[in-house]
Amino acid sequence: MKTATIPSLRVDPELRAAAESVLKEGETLSAFVENSLRSQIHYRRTQAEFIARGLRAREEAKRTGVYYSSEDVLAHLEAKIAAAKAKPDK
């Protein structure tokens, strides 16, 4: 697979210095920027999927007329947590 380049990015010297100050040993600024880009892509895709699921759930609730209170949802989640904690470790 061929590689592609990302357009160069002009930043304030302070931003570059801040980025360089948090690099791990042996990490390059290019690797840091690439990792940051991958993380932001993942975050935005995950956020878009979350919103899409919420909108589908809203439409399903409107269609069926079945709604759940926040107390019911929290109780259900707390029960799941309690069940998971009660399982013996593997």
Side-chain angles (χ1 to χ4, degrees):
M1 172 174 69
K2 288 187 177 181
T3 59
T5 59
I6 297 292
S8 16
L9 178 64
R10 294 215 173 267
V11 298
D12 292 331
E14 295 84 17
L15 180 58
R16 182 182 173 117
E20 289 174 337
S21 75
V22 297
L23 293 177
K24 296 177 181 170
E25 188 171 331
E27 183 179 33
T28 64
L29 188 55
S30 293
F32 177 79
V33 170
E34 181 182 353
N35 186 45
S36 298
L37 183 59
R38 289 180 189 281
S39 294
Q40 194 59 218
I41 290 167
H42 175 72
Y43 172 80
R44 289 187 181 194
R45 284 182 176 162
T46 302
Q47 184 180 43
E49 291 166 3
F50 176 79
I51 291 169
R53 284 193 312 272
L55 293 173
R56 283 194 307 273
R58 179 187 67 179
E59 292 307 313
E60 180 69 8
K62 284 181 183 178
R63 186 184 68 75
T64 63
V66 177
Y67 293 86
Y68 298 94
S69 71
S70 59
E71 292 84 8
D72 289 341
V73 172
L74 290 173
H76 177 74
L77 292 173
E78 287 171 359
K80 286 181 84 168
I81 291 170
K85 286 181 178 178
K87 282 185 180 179
D89 291 337
K90 292 183 180 181

